[in-house]
């Protein structure tokens, strides 16, 4: 594990950030990054589903430079053309129609905090319900919707008025049959942090029916699945439903911090002046980058590439050792392993110069750039197969040692 032990914990002690010690990354180009020792890695995590155009893409670089030289920030007493253009683009891509509205924030967490306030404005006395296995962020409101003991317990008491249900159709039916007042149901179409776990078939359609019937909002957290990651602009579009609100971030500006909430129909009228705002949210720099990223995805038909490369990757890994199957959509791929060795696979991949992620004990997550081509797919499959071979061989050795002939 030379690559991992080279990097000293000591060197990051000034950072309160609790992680980030795998390597000291200095630069990137396309789907590759280089560390301080000049080692090259194939980045198939993409900043956790953020770097939609890869690293240092000319469109990103030019837009940041041009907009920074024009207008970077103004107070939210003013609007800017970039912000208006982005709102119009998001509404159009989401099919939010005339009534749709957009709030621009800085991150997924902040977008979800906005959505929580939207739910409170809709029904202050109803429960906000999220799913077990969900990840909606770590600020106090978003944390209350993220039912993982290790994240929540040190910070109790959490925001009240929240409940969690299992991510099953039965639990959904029970929730609405129970007579409890529900303000909003908040769900991710695919739970990324839970190991790229899709909702059961028909879940979103039934959730739409039940929330409508009971006067609750359906809020989709598309922070990870949105902006083309699954091969559609938004994952809900595959299901033929329309939510009341959707939160976005990650890939929206391909590495420039930006979050958004898009509302549909009546939910668009809930916020009124004085109820919410953000100093940096939707500044012209971030908005210009998002506009340029969206334009590039459209000009290059990158959603088709996301679907194609996703299929190639899923087919390519299916027959590799230790692989039990795949899940997810487009370029948000979960690779199920036959044993709880995800951390070992991640480390072996890192050692060979491949960045992937192990969100659970037995699943790997990859979320590469939308721009990957044959070369990146081939390089990934070679490195990933070698990493799996390493782990399989070590397991076989350990087994032989435990059970000598
Ligand atoms: N929601 C989902 C589904 C996410 O995957 C994440 C981040 O991983 C968040 C919210 C939080 O977003 P951010 O880290 O931009 O605040």
């Amino acid at each position: 594990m030379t690559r991992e032990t080279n990097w000293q914990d000591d060197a990051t002690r000034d950072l309160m950030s609790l992680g980030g010690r795998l390597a000291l990354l200095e630069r990137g180009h396309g789907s590759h990054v280089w560390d301080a020792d000049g080692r090259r890695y194939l980045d198939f995590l993409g900043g956790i589903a953020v770097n939609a155009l890869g690293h240092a893409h000319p469109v990103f670089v030019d837009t940041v430079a041009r907009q920074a030289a024009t207008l970077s920030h103004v107070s939210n007493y003013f609007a800017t053309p970039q912000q208006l253009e982005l709102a119009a683009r998001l509404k159009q891509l989401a099919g939010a129609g005339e009534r749709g509205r957009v709030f621009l924030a800085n991150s997924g967490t902040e977008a979800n905090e906005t959505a929580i306030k939207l739910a409170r404005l809709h029904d202050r006395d109803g429960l906000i319900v999220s799913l077990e296995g969900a990840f909606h962020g770590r600020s106090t409101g978003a944390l209350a919707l993220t039912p993982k003991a290790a994240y929540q317990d040190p910070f109790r008491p959490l925001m009240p008025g929240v409940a969690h249900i299992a991510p099953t159709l039965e639990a959904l039916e029970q929730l609405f049959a129970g007579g409890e007042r529900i303000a909003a149901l908040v769900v991710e179409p695919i739970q990324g942090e839970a190991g790229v776990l899709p909702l059961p078939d028909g879940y979103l359609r039934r959730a739409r029916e039940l929330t409508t019937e009971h006067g609750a909002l359906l809020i989709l957290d598309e922070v990870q699945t949105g902006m083309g990651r699954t091969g559609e602009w938004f994952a809900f579009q595959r299901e033929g439903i329309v939510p009341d609100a959707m939160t976005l971030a990650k890939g929206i500006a391909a590495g420039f911090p930006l979050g958004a909430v898009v509302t549909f129909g009546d939910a668009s009228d809930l916020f009124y002046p004085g109820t919410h705002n953000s100093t940096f949210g939707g500044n012209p720099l971030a908005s210009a980058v998002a506009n340029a990223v969206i334009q590039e995805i459209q000009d290059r038909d990158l959603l088709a590439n996301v679907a194609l490369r996703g299929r190639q990757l899923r087919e390519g890994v299916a027959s590799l050792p230790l692989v039990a199957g795949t899940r997810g959509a487009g370029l948000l791929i979960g690779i199920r392993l036959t044993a709880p060795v995800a951390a070992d696979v991640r480390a072996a991949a890192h050692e060979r110069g491949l960045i992937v992620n192990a969100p659970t004990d037995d699943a790997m997550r990859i979320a590469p750039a939308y721009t990957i081509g044959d070369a990146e797919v081939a390089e990934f499959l070679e490195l990933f197969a070698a990493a799996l071979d390493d782990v399989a061989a070590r397991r076989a050795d350990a087994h032989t040692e435990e059970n000598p002939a």
Side-chain angles (χ1 to χ4, degrees):
M1 299 290 144
T2 48
R3 283 176 186 241
E4 300 211 351
T5 48
N6 270 348
W7 176 239
Q8 302 297 317
D9 277 2
D10 264 7
T12 56
R13 66 172 174 264
D14 291 345
L15 299 175
M16 201 182 288
S17 133
L18 309 167
R21 295 190 171 87
L22 289 181
L24 185 62
L25 296 182
E26 282 192 342
R27 78 188 164 91
H29 182 77
S31 285
H32 292 92
V33 289
W34 284 261
D35 72 13
D37 298 325
R39 292 195 194 105
R40 188 176 98 133
Y41 301 79
L42 178 68
D43 181 7
F44 257 45
L45 186 55
I48 315 188
V50 168
N51 300 308
L53 301 182
H55 298 277
H57 192 285
V59 164
F60 184 96
V61 174
D62 292 350
T63 308
V64 170
R66 199 165 10 86
Q67 190 61 40
T70 309
L71 188 68
S72 299
H73 178 82
V74 295
S75 77
N76 48 35
Y77 293 112
F78 301 92
T80 64
Q82 291 74 25
Q83 186 183 42
L84 300 182
E85 181 185 333
L86 179 56
R89 281 178 183 270
L90 291 175
K91 279 179 51 168
Q92 192 266 327
L93 294 176
E98 264 299 292
R99 293 195 63 198
R101 295 178 88 181
V102 174
F103 178 78
L104 296 173
N106 300 283
S107 66
T109 301
E110 211 188 306
N112 284 336
E113 289 294 329
T114 307
I116 290 167
K117 288 177 72 175
L118 189 78
R120 289 281 193 249
L121 287 176
H122 172 68
D123 179 357
R124 210 194 293 201
D125 300 320
L127 284 173
I128 302 177
V129 179
S130 70
L131 302 189
E132 287 162 15
F135 185 85
H136 297 295
R138 293 169 184 264
S139 60
T140 48
L143 181 63
L145 300 187
T146 300
K148 184 167 170 175
Y151 296 169
Q152 290 189 333
D153 287 352
F155 303 102
R156 291 183 186 282
L158 302 170
M159 180 182 78
V162 172
H164 312 294
I165 57 169
T168 63
L169 277 160
E170 297 74 46
L172 179 68
E173 297 289 348
Q174 268 170 21
L175 173 73
F176 285 98
E180 192 104 48
R181 193 157 152 181
I182 313 292
L185 176 67
V186 182
V187 296
E188 300 155 82
I190 300 174
Q191 295 185 330
E193 301 300 309
V196 190
L197 217 54
L199 289 170
D201 281 349
Y203 190 98
L204 283 183
R205 277 193 302 283
R206 189 65 186 133
R208 178 67 286 177
E209 285 166 8
L210 287 170
T211 47
T212 303
E213 212 175 288
H214 292 263
L217 297 183
L218 176 62
I219 298 176
L220 298 184
D221 179 340
E222 292 239 21
V223 166
Q224 193 156 155
T225 53
M227 301 314 298
R229 174 58 55 192
T230 65
E232 310 280 341
W233 277 106
F234 308 106
F236 78 79
Q237 291 170 327
R238 211 178 276 269
E239 304 295 324
I241 60 128
V242 175
D244 296 296
M246 156 177 78
T247 59
L248 301 169
K250 290 203 183 268
I252 189 169
F256 205 96
L258 180 65
V261 182
V262 181
T263 53
F264 301 71
D266 290 348
S268 302
D269 301 331
L270 290 168
F271 278 114
Y272 52 91
T275 45
H276 199 52
N277 227 326
S278 163
T279 293
F280 294 113
N283 74 36
L285 192 47
S287 299
V289 178
N291 287 325
V293 168
I294 292 168
Q295 191 64 50
E296 179 70 6
I297 292 172
Q298 289 173 325
D299 289 350
R300 310 269 168 214
D301 200 11
L302 288 178
L303 296 192
N305 197 52
V306 167
L308 169 71
R309 303 302 172 186
R311 272 197 305 278
Q312 288 177 344
L313 288 165
R314 268 191 291 276
E315 281 166 21
V317 298
S319 55
L320 297 180
L322 290 172
V323 172
T326 59
R327 56 194 178 209
L331 286 176
L332 180 59
I333 301 177
I335 303 167
R336 278 191 306 117
L337 302 175
T338 54
V341 291
D344 295 340
V345 173
R346 188 208 57 71
H350 189 93
E351 201 176 342
R352 288 181 172 270
L354 171 66
I355 299 176
V356 292
N357 164 245
T360 67
D361 288 350
D362 63 356
M364 311 303 300
R365 171 174 48 178
I366 56 171
Y370 303 175
T371 49
I372 58 169
D374 289 342
E376 288 84 1
V377 170
E379 188 183 351
F380 167 79
L381 291 175
E382 190 187 322
L383 292 171
F384 192 58
L388 291 168
D389 281 342
D390 290 347
V391 174
R394 257 180 256 142
R395 280 168 62 78
D397 286 349
H399 183 75
T400 314
E401 268 167 37
E402 276 166 27
N403 306 286

